PDB file of all heavy atoms in Angstrom:
ATOM      1  N   GLY A 171     -22.554  23.722  33.593  1.00  0.00           N
ATOM      2  CA  GLY A 171     -21.528  23.942  34.606  1.00  0.00           C
ATOM      3  C   GLY A 171     -21.633  25.258  35.114  1.00  0.00           C
ATOM      4  O   GLY A 171     -22.565  25.940  35.061  1.00  0.00           O
ATOM      5  N   ASP A 172     -20.489  25.796  35.458  1.00  0.00           N
ATOM      6  CA  ASP A 172     -20.453  27.154  36.095  1.00  0.00           C
ATOM      7  C   ASP A 172     -20.322  28.226  34.961  1.00  0.00           C
ATOM      8  O   ASP A 172     -19.219  28.455  34.455  1.00  0.00           O
ATOM      9  CB  ASP A 172     -19.258  27.315  37.013  1.00  0.00           C
ATOM     10  CG  ASP A 172     -19.174  28.612  37.682  1.00  0.00           C
ATOM     11  OD1 ASP A 172     -20.150  29.386  37.641  1.00  0.00           O
ATOM     12  OD2 ASP A 172     -18.087  28.920  38.201  1.00  0.00           O
ATOM     13  N   GLY A 173     -21.418  28.609  34.497  1.00  0.00           N
ATOM     14  CA  GLY A 173     -21.430  29.599  33.243  1.00  0.00           C
ATOM     15  C   GLY A 173     -21.062  28.855  31.998  1.00  0.00           C
ATOM     16  O   GLY A 173     -20.765  29.572  31.006  1.00  0.00           O
ATOM     17  N   THR A 174     -21.166  27.578  32.018  1.00  0.00           N
ATOM     18  CA  THR A 174     -20.777  26.821  30.721  1.00  0.00           C
ATOM     19  C   THR A 174     -21.944  25.750  30.559  1.00  0.00           C
ATOM     20  O   THR A 174     -22.684  25.473  31.393  1.00  0.00           O
ATOM     21  CB  THR A 174     -19.440  26.070  30.806  1.00  0.00           C
ATOM     22  OG1 THR A 174     -19.587  25.125  31.930  1.00  0.00           O
ATOM     23  CG2 THR A 174     -18.324  27.030  31.162  1.00  0.00           C
ATOM     24  N   ARG A 175     -21.856  25.300  29.289  1.00  0.00           N
ATOM     25  CA  ARG A 175     -22.631  24.074  28.993  1.00  0.00           C
ATOM     26  C   ARG A 175     -21.761  23.059  28.258  1.00  0.00           C
ATOM     27  O   ARG A 175     -20.896  23.488  27.486  1.00  0.00           O
ATOM     28  CB  ARG A 175     -23.827  24.487  28.041  1.00  0.00           C
ATOM     29  CG  ARG A 175     -24.816  25.381  28.795  1.00  0.00           C
ATOM     30  CD  ARG A 175     -26.175  25.298  28.104  1.00  0.00           C
ATOM     31  NE  ARG A 175     -26.230  25.902  26.780  1.00  0.00           N
ATOM     32  CZ  ARG A 175     -27.217  25.844  25.970  1.00  0.00           C
ATOM     33  NH1 ARG A 175     -28.431  25.196  26.301  1.00  0.00           N
ATOM     34  NH2 ARG A 175     -27.256  26.453  24.733  1.00  0.00           N
ATOM     35  N   THR A 176     -21.986  21.857  28.552  1.00  0.00           N
ATOM     36  CA  THR A 176     -21.204  20.740  27.966  1.00  0.00           C
ATOM     37  C   THR A 176     -22.120  19.888  27.114  1.00  0.00           C
ATOM     38  O   THR A 176     -23.090  19.356  27.534  1.00  0.00           O
ATOM     39  CB  THR A 176     -20.556  19.922  29.020  1.00  0.00           C
ATOM     40  OG1 THR A 176     -19.625  20.853  29.767  1.00  0.00           O
ATOM     41  CG2 THR A 176     -19.721  18.819  28.410  1.00  0.00           C
ATOM     42  N   PHE A 177     -21.677  19.881  25.760  1.00  0.00           N
ATOM     43  CA  PHE A 177     -22.385  19.076  24.750  1.00  0.00           C
ATOM     44  C   PHE A 177     -21.685  17.784  24.466  1.00  0.00           C
ATOM     45  O   PHE A 177     -20.530  17.771  24.335  1.00  0.00           O
ATOM     46  CB  PHE A 177     -22.612  19.879  23.512  1.00  0.00           C
ATOM     47  CG  PHE A 177     -23.504  21.119  23.625  1.00  0.00           C
ATOM     48  CD1 PHE A 177     -23.060  22.172  24.277  1.00  0.00           C
ATOM     49  CD2 PHE A 177     -24.791  21.074  23.079  1.00  0.00           C
ATOM     50  CE1 PHE A 177     -23.851  23.374  24.374  1.00  0.00           C
ATOM     51  CE2 PHE A 177     -25.632  22.180  23.297  1.00  0.00           C
ATOM     52  CZ  PHE A 177     -25.164  23.329  23.882  1.00  0.00           C
ATOM     53  N   VAL A 178     -22.417  16.669  24.516  1.00  0.00           N
ATOM     54  CA  VAL A 178     -21.876  15.362  24.322  1.00  0.00           C
ATOM     55  C   VAL A 178     -22.229  14.892  22.794  1.00  0.00           C
ATOM     56  O   VAL A 178     -23.381  15.140  22.363  1.00  0.00           O
ATOM     57  CB  VAL A 178     -22.397  14.402  25.325  1.00  0.00           C
ATOM     58  CG1 VAL A 178     -21.922  12.994  25.007  1.00  0.00           C
ATOM     59  CG2 VAL A 178     -21.827  14.730  26.673  1.00  0.00           C
ATOM     60  N   PHE A 179     -21.298  14.206  22.079  1.00  0.00           N
ATOM     61  CA  PHE A 179     -21.567  13.727  20.839  1.00  0.00           C
ATOM     62  C   PHE A 179     -21.017  12.343  20.608  1.00  0.00           C
ATOM     63  O   PHE A 179     -20.166  11.943  21.286  1.00  0.00           O
ATOM     64  CB  PHE A 179     -20.811  14.689  19.782  1.00  0.00           C
ATOM     65  CG  PHE A 179     -21.290  16.073  19.848  1.00  0.00           C
ATOM     66  CD1 PHE A 179     -20.643  17.022  20.615  1.00  0.00           C
ATOM     67  CD2 PHE A 179     -22.418  16.517  19.132  1.00  0.00           C
ATOM     68  CE1 PHE A 179     -21.129  18.437  20.607  1.00  0.00           C
ATOM     69  CE2 PHE A 179     -22.899  17.898  19.121  1.00  0.00           C
ATOM     70  CZ  PHE A 179     -22.205  18.736  19.940  1.00  0.00           C
ATOM     71  N   ASP A 180     -21.659  11.632  19.620  1.00  0.00           N
ATOM     72  CA  ASP A 180     -21.206  10.323  19.348  1.00  0.00           C
ATOM     73  C   ASP A 180     -21.350  10.143  17.788  1.00  0.00           C
ATOM     74  O   ASP A 180     -22.377  10.319  17.239  1.00  0.00           O
ATOM     75  CB  ASP A 180     -22.164   9.369  20.012  1.00  0.00           C
ATOM     76  CG  ASP A 180     -21.790   7.913  19.785  1.00  0.00           C
ATOM     77  OD1 ASP A 180     -20.668   7.637  19.519  1.00  0.00           O
ATOM     78  OD2 ASP A 180     -22.691   7.000  20.054  1.00  0.00           O
ATOM     79  N   MET A 181     -20.161   9.743  17.273  1.00  0.00           N
ATOM     80  CA  MET A 181     -20.099   9.384  15.851  1.00  0.00           C
ATOM     81  C   MET A 181     -19.830   7.930  15.744  1.00  0.00           C
ATOM     82  O   MET A 181     -18.603   7.505  15.790  1.00  0.00           O
ATOM     83  CB  MET A 181     -19.167  10.224  15.088  1.00  0.00           C
ATOM     84  CG  MET A 181     -18.877   9.793  13.590  1.00  0.00           C
ATOM     85  SD  MET A 181     -20.324   9.388  12.661  1.00  0.00           S
ATOM     86  CE  MET A 181     -20.763  10.857  11.891  1.00  0.00           C
ATOM     87  N   PRO A 182     -20.850   7.061  15.647  1.00  0.00           N
ATOM     88  CA  PRO A 182     -20.638   5.626  15.673  1.00  0.00           C
ATOM     89  C   PRO A 182     -20.178   4.966  14.321  1.00  0.00           C
ATOM     90  O   PRO A 182     -19.594   3.852  14.341  1.00  0.00           O
ATOM     91  CB  PRO A 182     -21.963   5.020  16.110  1.00  0.00           C
ATOM     92  CG  PRO A 182     -22.958   6.043  15.537  1.00  0.00           C
ATOM     93  CD  PRO A 182     -22.271   7.419  15.654  1.00  0.00           C
ATOM     94  N   GLN A 183     -20.251   5.721  13.294  1.00  0.00           N
ATOM     95  CA  GLN A 183     -19.776   5.171  11.970  1.00  0.00           C
ATOM     96  C   GLN A 183     -18.378   5.684  11.704  1.00  0.00           C
ATOM     97  O   GLN A 183     -18.074   6.823  12.035  1.00  0.00           O
ATOM     98  CB  GLN A 183     -20.647   5.662  10.844  1.00  0.00           C
ATOM     99  CG  GLN A 183     -22.027   4.966  10.837  1.00  0.00           C
ATOM    100  CD  GLN A 183     -23.058   6.005  11.488  1.00  0.00           C
ATOM    101  OE1 GLN A 183     -22.885   6.964  12.069  1.00  0.00           O
ATOM    102  NE2 GLN A 183     -24.363   5.538  11.274  1.00  0.00           N
ATOM    103  N   PRO A 184     -17.497   4.779  11.227  1.00  0.00           N
ATOM    104  CA  PRO A 184     -16.060   5.220  11.102  1.00  0.00           C
ATOM    105  C   PRO A 184     -15.950   6.197   9.898  1.00  0.00           C
ATOM    106  O   PRO A 184     -16.427   6.048   8.775  1.00  0.00           O
ATOM    107  CB  PRO A 184     -15.362   3.965  10.761  1.00  0.00           C
ATOM    108  CG  PRO A 184     -16.361   2.964  10.286  1.00  0.00           C
ATOM    109  CD  PRO A 184     -17.744   3.377  10.928  1.00  0.00           C
ATOM    110  N   ILE A 185     -15.266   7.305  10.166  1.00  0.00           N
ATOM    111  CA  ILE A 185     -15.010   8.342   9.248  1.00  0.00           C
ATOM    112  C   ILE A 185     -13.582   8.769   9.035  1.00  0.00           C
ATOM    113  O   ILE A 185     -12.771   8.557  10.012  1.00  0.00           O
ATOM    114  CB  ILE A 185     -15.781   9.696   9.707  1.00  0.00           C
ATOM    115  CG1 ILE A 185     -15.381  10.086  10.980  1.00  0.00           C
ATOM    116  CG2 ILE A 185     -17.307   9.459   9.596  1.00  0.00           C
ATOM    117  CD1 ILE A 185     -15.712  11.594  11.323  1.00  0.00           C
ATOM    118  N   PRO A 186     -13.169   9.228   7.899  1.00  0.00           N
ATOM    119  CA  PRO A 186     -11.866   9.795   7.791  1.00  0.00           C
ATOM    120  C   PRO A 186     -11.692  11.033   8.663  1.00  0.00           C
ATOM    121  O   PRO A 186     -12.739  11.784   8.765  1.00  0.00           O
ATOM    122  CB  PRO A 186     -11.748  10.176   6.319  1.00  0.00           C
ATOM    123  CG  PRO A 186     -13.066   9.985   5.698  1.00  0.00           C
ATOM    124  CD  PRO A 186     -13.989   9.373   6.669  1.00  0.00           C
ATOM    125  N   PRO A 187     -10.543  11.305   9.247  1.00  0.00           N
ATOM    126  CA  PRO A 187     -10.433  12.421  10.200  1.00  0.00           C
ATOM    127  C   PRO A 187     -10.741  13.728   9.543  1.00  0.00           C
ATOM    128  O   PRO A 187     -11.064  14.602  10.273  1.00  0.00           O
ATOM    129  CB  PRO A 187      -8.958  12.318  10.559  1.00  0.00           C
ATOM    130  CG  PRO A 187      -8.444  10.969  10.275  1.00  0.00           C
ATOM    131  CD  PRO A 187      -9.367  10.511   9.116  1.00  0.00           C
TER     132      PRO A 187
END
Side-chain angles (χ1 to χ4, degrees):
D172 183 14
T174 63
R175 293 203 290 174
T176 298
F177 291 76
V178 170
F179 300 93
D180 182 20
M181 172 41 92
Q183 290 98 350
I185 56 163

